[in-house]
Amino acid sequence: MCGVVGAVAQRNVVPILLEGLRRLEYRGYDSAGLAVVQHDAAQRGLQRVRSVGRVGVLAELVAQQQVQGDWGIAHTRWATHGAPSKDNAHPHASHDCIAIVHNGIIENHEVLRAGLRAQGEVFTSETDSEVIAHLVYRQYQVTSDLLRAVQDTVALLQGSFAILVMATDAPGRLVCARRGSPLLIGVGIEEHFVASDVSALLPVTQRVVYLEEGDVADIGLLSYRVFDAAGNLVMRPVNVSEQSAEMSDLGAYRHFMQKEIHEQPRALADTLHDVLMSDHLPAQAFGHDAEAVFARVDAVRFLACGTSYHAALIGAQWIEALAGLPCQAEVASEYRYRDSVANPRALVVTLSQSGETADTLAALKHAQHLGHNETLSICNVPESSLVRASALRFLTRAGPEIGVASTKAFTAQLAALFLLALLLARSRGRLSPEQEHAHIHALRALPSAVGRVLALEHEVAAWAQRLADKRHALFLGRGIHFPIALEGALKLKEISYIHAEAYPAGELKHGPLALVDHDMPVVAIAPDDALLDKLRSNLQEVAARGGELYVLTDTQTSILSGSPVHHIRMDEHAGWLSPILHVIPLQMLAYHAALQKGTDVDKPRNLAKSVTVE
């Protein structure tokens, strides 16, 4: 969701702030702004520019006004309190002295606002964030110390936040704080930066310091200090990010989603590279003591949201079938609000592309509070909060995923989950050496198999032309392919805005069949597996009612034929790994349908890439 960037330097930081905001656009936003101050005392007024719409609009205003500054803060806003407008856009200011940007939600803002109004403060926005600016100003008047003013303000706030604060009479200084929302410091040479995401800082530094929960940092040109929630001066390690600025470039592709769909062979090869170097699966890929943990757990619980939840549903079926362990996949945002039965011997697995998904992080903390100490995160960002909060971790090597609709991160998660299922099976004596070698061989062949699926894009685009003018669509699958139907429906509605639903095909006659007519396209995943005969009967029910079928089949599969039935034939059935291959045409289908409709593919309306608030 919202993104924040800050910089302190001996040069004009406006280009740094604008580029940082551009690299945070994938998070989703509706307005943007920045505030800067110059070191020159004669020109040390607060320069603040805000706009509704894209960062490009803000950049044009900044250029027109010739805004320059040696230190400053910037923000992309996702509306929560108050509609998108210039007044509601960040940064917010108090008395032209204090400026702040805020990512998160202040839950007690109404009480704080009433108290500040009673003290004579005037509010110019509808946001919860503006109370922070006035609180810091009030505290600053008392203490004359910006760090202390922010620490005192933070103590009054309830909710989640990543906050950056600057004052016109505190030259070359930023103070920031985090609770619940990610925040990091970028370390340069006689300059420092702050951001909510490392991608925003890659053009200027790869050396970053991740702030912990409750930290407050005082940042200057030559140094920075970090204080923990108790106010103690602490040292946080400097990390060198594995990402680079080039990894986030669009290159020759039209959209990031298109680029990321086509990066899946490489993403899978990179994710599996270290694991498949030998003929024996290394449990230590999940952590140095993973083998001991896998041997002693007696159940698995997945916690995830959105696309990651669909991956978890498939992982749960793999683990029960291959390892013989009870496994449950839960929506993370629901798990911590229900009374669940804790099992300390269960392995709790969290999945997230960003590792900063607020609901998933909160669910992990809840599980740990219940006594679940055996925790594992599967994540695409090595420096993320989720990875650092888990005992074990497996890093998918998909590279930065910019498009809101997850593609390569999803298939990389599936590869990781299949490895987990195999290792759990081996730890329970359910995987022979011969079976292990066969699975390793199949995994090694996976990137090439994905490449062959991508070659079907022209056929998928023809489907998309037929579907683009429809208002609704139904997706069907059975067994481990039902979650792929869920994922296909999610992708279509995310970026094309076509209403789509998914059902297990056997549930058709229990209600959804009433919706089927010639205007309801039905997309079915029909691999040549044990459930094909059952699925064939379900599809016959659709055809008998005039429904138009779009069927993904394997080379030798015999399925319905006729004018209302369209086929795309893939390679021979890939067995357990089939879901990884069958989801890719559905990703391409959503992409090409969105192209036909002219929607904003990478930044669909109302959605954000990283959901950092509940």
Side-chain angles (χ1 to χ4, degrees):
M1 293 214 170
C2 306
V4 298
V5 188
V8 179
Q10 299 180 74
R11 53 174 166 155
N12 180 21
V13 300
V14 169
I16 297 171
L17 297 177
L18 288 173
E19 181 59 25
L21 292 185
R22 289 188 185 99
R23 290 173 176 270
L24 293 176
E25 286 189 294
Y26 75 92
R27 297 167 70 96
Y29 69 105
D30 46 52
S31 58
L34 60 78
V36 294
V37 185
Q38 293 192 26
H39 281 104
D40 186 346
Q43 304 179 56
R44 197 177 289 165
L46 182 67
Q47 301 175 78
R48 185 165 56 127
V49 184
R50 299 177 292 171
S51 66
V52 176
R54 296 302 185 200
V55 172
V57 177
L58 176 68
E60 291 177 4
L61 292 173
V62 166
Q64 291 169 10
Q65 299 177 32
Q66 298 182 328
V67 176
Q68 296 187 40
D70 304 296
W71 82 98
I73 55 179
H75 188 270
T76 51
R77 176 178 185 256
W78 183 261
T80 52
H81 298 83
S85 69
K86 179 181 176 181
D87 286 341
N88 287 332
H90 295 220
H92 292 293
S94 182
H95 299 269
D96 292 323
C97 168
I98 298 292
I100 69 100
V101 291
H102 164 229
N103 177 20
I105 292 179
I106 305 304
E107 295 172 353
N108 60 334
H109 74 99
E110 292 180 348
V111 174
L112 295 172
R113 181 187 292 258
L116 288 163
R117 276 183 170 152
Q119 297 175 57
E121 294 295 341
V122 176
F123 285 79
T124 60
S125 80
E126 304 168 85
T127 69
D128 57 332
S129 305
E130 191 181 354
V131 301
I132 302 170
H134 295 305
L135 285 171
V136 171
Y137 175 80
R138 288 262 164 189
Q139 298 293 339
Y140 192 42
Q141 297 308 299
V142 175
T143 65
S144 299
D145 182 338
L146 188 60
L147 171 65
R148 179 64 184 276
V150 173
Q151 289 173 319
D152 290 346
T153 297
V154 164
L156 300 173
L157 303 178
Q158 298 173 12
S160 65
F161 50 78
I163 302 168
L164 275 61
V165 182
M166 60 188 293
T168 55
D169 60 354
R173 191 176 175 198
L174 298 177
V175 178
C176 60
R178 68 149 295 191
R179 183 196 300 162
S181 294
L183 199 61
L184 56 94
I185 300 169
V187 180
I189 300 173
E190 297 190 354
E191 57 185 11
H192 288 95
F193 313 94
V194 194
S196 50
D197 189 320
V198 68
S199 63
L201 303 183
L202 291 175
V204 289
T205 186
Q206 287 180 273
R207 301 178 67 224
V208 294
V209 175
Y210 293 92
L211 298 181
E212 300 291 343
E213 185 77 356
D215 281 356
V216 178
D218 189 359
I219 299 164
L221 270 174
L222 304 179
S223 64
Y224 61 88
R225 297 179 297 161
V226 179
F227 300 86
D228 65 16
N232 302 309
L233 184 64
V234 293
M235 298 294 294
R236 301 295 185 213
V238 177
N239 302 272
V240 179
S241 175
E242 297 181 11
Q243 299 184 39
S244 66
E246 293 74 20
M247 294 172 74
S248 299
D249 290 338
L250 186 57
Y253 291 95
R254 186 172 176 181
H255 299 95
F256 279 107
M257 183 179 180
Q258 181 189 30
K259 176 177 183 260
E260 288 154 9
I261 288 172
H262 284 270
E263 285 178 336
Q264 287 177 107
R266 180 203 55 77
L268 288 164
D270 289 350
T271 295
L272 297 170
H273 179 268
D274 294 342
V275 175
L276 301 181
M277 290 296 287
S278 72
D279 291 329
H280 186 72
L281 294 173
Q284 61 266 28
F286 288 81
H288 71 277
D289 59 345
E291 192 153 20
V293 172
F294 293 163
R296 65 176 176 258
V297 297
D298 63 8
V300 179
R301 185 189 299 271
F302 287 115
L303 303 173
C305 299
T307 287
S308 294
Y309 172 66
H310 297 158
L313 289 171
I314 296 169
Q317 293 195 47
W318 280 337
I319 287 171
E320 291 205 340
L322 294 170
L325 279 173
C327 189
Q328 182 178 7
E330 294 206 45
V331 176
S333 58
E334 292 293 316
Y335 167 68
R336 67 189 177 111
Y337 292 114
R338 70 174 185 83
D339 294 328
S340 58
V341 179
N343 173 12
R345 290 179 60 84
L347 176 66
V348 173
V349 183
T350 51
L351 294 92
S352 170
Q353 186 282 136
S354 68
E356 304 295 348
T357 307
D359 289 319
T360 306
L361 278 165
L364 173 59
K365 292 176 183 176
H366 178 66
Q368 291 168 331
H369 177 73
L370 293 178
H372 289 287
N373 296 318
E374 311 288 14
T375 59
L376 162 67
S377 69
I378 295 175
C379 184
N380 196 43
V381 181
E383 310 95 344
S384 64
S385 299
L386 196 66
V387 169
R388 288 180 284 130
S390 303
L392 302 176
R393 57 62 186 142
F394 183 93
L395 299 176
T396 54
R397 304 289 180 178
E401 191 178 63
I402 307 300
V404 165
S406 180
T407 53
K408 62 178 180 175
F410 176 70
T411 50
Q413 283 177 346
L414 288 178
L417 288 170
F418 191 67
L419 289 172
L420 176 62
L422 294 179
L423 288 167
L424 287 169
R426 191 177 70 190
S427 71
R428 295 171 61 81
R430 293 172 62 99
L431 187 70
S432 69
E434 294 75 20
Q435 290 171 322
E436 184 173 357
H437 294 160
H439 287 306
I440 290 173
H441 177 75
L443 287 167
R444 285 175 178 157
L446 189 57
S448 295
V450 169
R452 292 192 294 275
V453 177
L454 290 169
L456 300 171
E457 186 165 10
H458 181 73
E459 295 178 59
V460 176
W463 278 15
Q465 282 188 308
R466 299 181 65 93
L467 264 67
D469 63 348
K470 303 297 184 181
R471 297 182 59 194
H472 309 279
L474 193 63
F475 286 70
L476 301 176
R478 298 201 72 146
I480 58 174
H481 294 93
F482 165 56
I484 295 302
L486 287 169
E487 180 62 12
L490 176 61
K491 287 291 161 283
L492 189 66
K493 57 191 167 191
E494 272 184 310
I495 62 168
S496 76
Y497 314 147
I498 297 171
H499 172 245
E501 297 296 336
Y503 283 89
E507 288 293 293
L508 264 179
K509 52 187 168 292
H510 295 288
L513 199 57
L515 297 172
V516 172
D517 59 21
H518 66 281
D519 286 325
M520 173 69 83
V522 178
V523 181
I525 302 102
D528 189 12
D529 60 15
L531 292 170
L532 179 61
D533 288 339
K534 298 293 184 184
L535 180 62
R536 191 182 286 113
S537 299
N538 302 140
L539 300 187
Q540 186 64 59
E541 293 171 338
V542 173
R545 287 154 181 84
E548 189 168 10
L549 281 162
Y550 296 80
V551 187
L552 287 174
T553 67
D554 299 328
T555 303
Q556 303 301 322
T557 302
S558 173
I559 204 75
L560 300 177
S561 61
S563 57
V565 183
H566 311 278
H567 299 85
I568 290 179
R569 295 192 180 275
M570 299 170 58
D571 282 350
E572 293 182 6
H573 183 46
W576 290 110
L577 297 176
S578 175
I580 297 176
L581 301 180
H582 278 83
V583 75
I584 292 168
L586 302 184
Q587 296 170 349
M588 295 190 291
L589 180 64
Y591 174 72
H592 284 282
L595 287 185
Q596 291 290 323
K597 292 176 68 69
T599 63
D600 193 338
V601 173
D602 288 332
K603 306 180 190 72
R605 67 190 183 198
N606 304 333
L607 298 178
K609 179 67 176 176
S610 181
V611 183
T612 56
V613 296
E614 185 177 1

